[in-house]
Amino acid sequence: MTPDLLLPTNTIVRPDKDRFLHEENPFEAMMSRFDRAAELLDLEPGIYKVLRHAEKQIITSIPVMMDNGDVDVFTGIRVLYNTSRGPAKGGIRFDLNVTLDEVTALAAWMTWKCAVVNIPFGGSKGGVICDPLKMSAGELERLTRRYTASIIATLGPDSDVPAPDVNTNERVMAWIMDTYSMRMGHTVTAVVTGKPVEMGGSLGRREATGRGCSIVTKEALAHLGMDVKGATVAIQGFGNVGSISAQLLQREGCRIVAVSDRTGGLYNKGGLDVDDAIAWVTAHRTLEGYPKATKITNDDLLTLDVDVLLPAALENVITTKNGANIRARIICEGANGPTTAAADAILDEKGIFVIPDILANAGGVTVSYFEWVQDRGGYFWTEKTVNDRLHEIMQHSFRAVLQLARQHKVNMRTAAYMLSISRVATVHRLRGIYA
Ligand code: NAD
């Protein structure tokens, strides 16, 4: 181990680093896994230092004309973490809790995620500190356009490609694409992904993350010699990722015994009818009141005795507090960061097979990549082509990570980080560091 690796926290980007050093900090969660993998890879100190820093952090003030005629000023952030493998790729969130630390952590996460599935993107993330629920559509549109104008120098199909994230959607992506295109003087569809299909979005993008989760879950079951048919599954979160994963795993023959959302959980030992539960949520907005199951809490759901636990809602739900009580054989991390770094060791000790977030939920960014490719080529694929290519990439990536895990006798998370960091590091070595 090099001296640099002994003092990892000295190189954390933010000066107030001591605040990071607790279990639930996203930057710390990501960096402690990064450090472990870097140590195992025996990464040279120069590349280690480069990979531990964001390439570019933009903080910008965004004046917005509010509906009442007053001008308000919001803070926008965009972080490009690493672009050595290609254009930066990462979502934009509108939320009161946006901070530079969190955006930086999420941008780094995107770098490793794109590398683990070997798509030619770097990682970025962005956000605006605002409460979108209190803003009108007109205010949100003006905010989006002015934020886009503020970061336009780094945006572009060859440099930085946003996507939807918390509280942003297809509509917001359409505004970004339009603002950017107005500046360029021609339509540039490939500047964002997650767009409406009518204006250059990809078929299959909406289902991609859940589809990816279902593919790697099947791989994990097969690896452990467990039958997909009849495997019991509990899913936290019944939004895009949770509900699609539930639907696709049920179609494969799994028994979805529990699902939950922000209103609580539902349990049915014999298996829930997922399509029926989705229809209920479509009609009632949440799972609350769904009649064909027993109510349980979100905490109960996490500790059910099931074959597969699929957290698909929030960060930091599996921690040192409940890690010892987790009884699932496999955890498929649909959400970003559902397990704290400190809980990893507990799950390892219990022999739980964890498919880490950077691999498990990479189906979304993979189909975003397909969208970018289709936009640039001006030739659009059928949904079957999208799904087949997604399957190939997810299956191949799972197997590559598994092989590395076996070779180095490490868990899947460490192997996934090793694979992605080594891919990014290799490109840095080949390109040479312009220093
Ligand atoms: P979503 O907003 O569609 O759904 C979120 C679900 O979580 C909802 O059912 C909501 O009720 C539930 N939820 C919220 N608070 C909860 C709580 N306290 N307890 C239990 N459930 C709660 O979001 P999504 O797109 O499905 O994303 C879910 C997770 O997956 C997030 O961590 C997201 O970052 C991650 N992710 C999503 C994608 C994607 O393509 N959508 C890609 C990669 C990662």
Side-chain angles (χ1 to χ4, degrees), residues 28 140 196 200 215 219 237 249 262 288 314 321 347 354 413:
E28 184 55 27
L140 281 174
I215 294 164
E219 286 287 314
L249 285 169
R262 67 180 81 244
E288 199 167 22
L314 306 170
K321 292 191 194 93
L347 302 182
V354 179
R413 191 186 313 281

CSV table of all heavy atoms in Angstrom, one decimal, residues 28 140 196 200 215 219 237 249 262 288 314 321 347 354 413:
chain,number,residue,atom,x,y,z
A,28,GLU,N,-18.9,9.7,1.7
A,28,GLU,CA,-18.1,8.8,2.5
A,28,GLU,C,-18.4,7.3,2.1
A,28,GLU,O,-17.5,6.5,2.0
A,28,GLU,CB,-18.3,9.0,4.0
A,28,GLU,CG,-17.5,8.2,4.9
A,28,GLU,CD,-16.0,8.4,4.6
A,28,GLU,OE1,-15.5,9.4,4.1
A,28,GLU,OE2,-15.3,7.4,4.9
A,140,LEU,N,-41.0,26.7,-13.2
A,140,LEU,CA,-40.0,25.6,-13.4
A,140,LEU,C,-39.4,25.6,-14.8
A,140,LEU,O,-38.2,25.3,-14.9
A,140,LEU,CB,-40.8,24.2,-13.2
A,140,LEU,CG,-41.0,23.8,-11.8
A,140,LEU,CD1,-41.9,22.5,-11.7
A,140,LEU,CD2,-39.7,23.5,-11.0
A,196,PRO,N,-39.0,12.5,-24.1
A,196,PRO,CA,-40.1,11.9,-24.7
A,196,PRO,C,-39.8,11.1,-26.0
A,196,PRO,O,-38.9,11.6,-26.7
A,196,PRO,CB,-41.1,13.0,-25.0
A,196,PRO,CG,-40.7,14.1,-24.1
A,196,PRO,CD,-39.2,14.0,-23.9
A,200,GLY,N,-37.1,11.9,-29.8
A,200,GLY,CA,-35.7,11.4,-29.7
A,200,GLY,C,-35.4,10.5,-28.5
A,200,GLY,O,-34.3,10.0,-28.3
A,215,ILE,N,-32.8,-8.9,-14.6
A,215,ILE,CA,-31.8,-9.7,-15.3
A,215,ILE,C,-30.7,-10.1,-14.3
A,215,ILE,O,-30.3,-11.3,-14.3
A,215,ILE,CB,-31.1,-8.9,-16.5
A,215,ILE,CG1,-32.2,-8.7,-17.6
A,215,ILE,CG2,-29.9,-9.7,-17.1
A,215,ILE,CD1,-31.8,-7.6,-18.6
A,219,GLU,N,-29.5,-13.9,-12.8
A,219,GLU,CA,-28.2,-14.3,-12.8
A,219,GLU,C,-27.7,-14.8,-11.4
A,219,GLU,O,-27.0,-15.8,-11.3
A,219,GLU,CB,-27.2,-13.2,-13.3
A,219,GLU,CG,-27.4,-13.0,-14.8
A,219,GLU,CD,-26.7,-14.1,-15.7
A,219,GLU,OE1,-25.6,-14.5,-15.4
A,219,GLU,OE2,-27.4,-14.5,-16.6
A,237,GLY,N,-40.3,0.0,-2.2
A,237,GLY,CA,-40.4,1.1,-3.2
A,237,GLY,C,-41.2,0.5,-4.4
A,237,GLY,O,-40.9,-0.6,-4.9
A,249,LEU,N,-40.0,-9.8,-12.7
A,249,LEU,CA,-39.6,-11.1,-11.9
A,249,LEU,C,-40.8,-12.0,-11.7
A,249,LEU,O,-40.7,-13.2,-11.8
A,249,LEU,CB,-39.0,-10.7,-10.5
A,249,LEU,CG,-37.6,-10.1,-10.6
A,249,LEU,CD1,-37.2,-9.5,-9.3
A,249,LEU,CD2,-36.6,-11.2,-11.0
A,262,ARG,N,-44.1,4.8,0.2
A,262,ARG,CA,-43.9,5.7,1.3
A,262,ARG,C,-45.0,5.5,2.3
A,262,ARG,O,-44.9,6.0,3.5
A,262,ARG,CB,-43.8,7.1,0.8
A,262,ARG,CG,-45.0,7.7,0.2
A,262,ARG,CD,-44.8,9.1,-0.2
A,262,ARG,NE,-44.2,9.2,-1.5
A,262,ARG,CZ,-43.0,9.7,-1.7
A,262,ARG,NH1,-42.3,10.2,-0.7
A,262,ARG,NH2,-42.4,9.8,-2.9
A,288,GLU,N,-51.6,2.4,-0.4
A,288,GLU,CA,-52.5,2.5,0.8
A,288,GLU,C,-53.9,2.0,0.5
A,288,GLU,O,-54.5,2.4,-0.5
A,288,GLU,CB,-52.5,3.9,1.3
A,288,GLU,CG,-53.0,4.0,2.7
A,288,GLU,CD,-52.7,5.4,3.3
A,288,GLU,OE1,-52.6,6.3,2.6
A,288,GLU,OE2,-52.7,5.4,4.6
A,314,LEU,N,-35.0,4.2,-1.3
A,314,LEU,CA,-34.1,5.3,-0.6
A,314,LEU,C,-32.7,4.8,-0.4
A,314,LEU,O,-32.4,3.6,-0.4
A,314,LEU,CB,-34.7,5.6,0.7
A,314,LEU,CG,-36.2,6.0,0.8
A,314,LEU,CD1,-36.6,6.0,2.3
A,314,LEU,CD2,-36.4,7.3,0.2
A,321,LYS,N,-27.7,-0.8,12.1
A,321,LYS,CA,-28.8,-1.0,13.0
A,321,LYS,C,-29.7,-2.2,12.7
A,321,LYS,O,-30.1,-2.9,13.5
A,321,LYS,CB,-29.8,0.2,13.0
A,321,LYS,CG,-29.1,1.5,13.6
A,321,LYS,CD,-30.1,2.6,13.9
A,321,LYS,CE,-29.4,3.9,14.1
A,321,LYS,NZ,-29.2,4.7,12.9
A,347,LEU,N,-23.3,-7.9,6.3
A,347,LEU,CA,-24.0,-8.7,5.2
A,347,LEU,C,-23.0,-9.8,4.7
A,347,LEU,O,-23.4,-10.9,4.5
A,347,LEU,CB,-24.4,-7.8,4.0
A,347,LEU,CG,-25.4,-6.7,4.4
A,347,LEU,CD1,-25.9,-6.0,3.1
A,347,LEU,CD2,-26.7,-7.3,5.1
A,354,VAL,N,-24.8,-9.8,-2.4
A,354,VAL,CA,-25.3,-8.4,-2.7
A,354,VAL,C,-24.9,-8.1,-4.1
A,354,VAL,O,-23.7,-8.1,-4.5
A,354,VAL,CB,-24.7,-7.4,-1.7
A,354,VAL,CG1,-25.2,-6.0,-2.1
A,354,VAL,CG2,-25.0,-7.7,-0.3
A,413,ARG,N,-19.6,-6.2,-4.5
A,413,ARG,CA,-19.4,-4.7,-4.5
A,413,ARG,C,-18.0,-4.3,-4.7
A,413,ARG,O,-17.7,-3.5,-5.6
A,413,ARG,CB,-19.9,-4.1,-3.2
A,413,ARG,CG,-20.0,-2.6,-3.3
A,413,ARG,CD,-20.4,-1.9,-2.0
A,413,ARG,NE,-21.4,-2.4,-1.3
A,413,ARG,CZ,-22.7,-2.3,-1.6
A,413,ARG,NH1,-23.1,-1.5,-2.6
A,413,ARG,NH2,-23.7,-2.8,-0.8
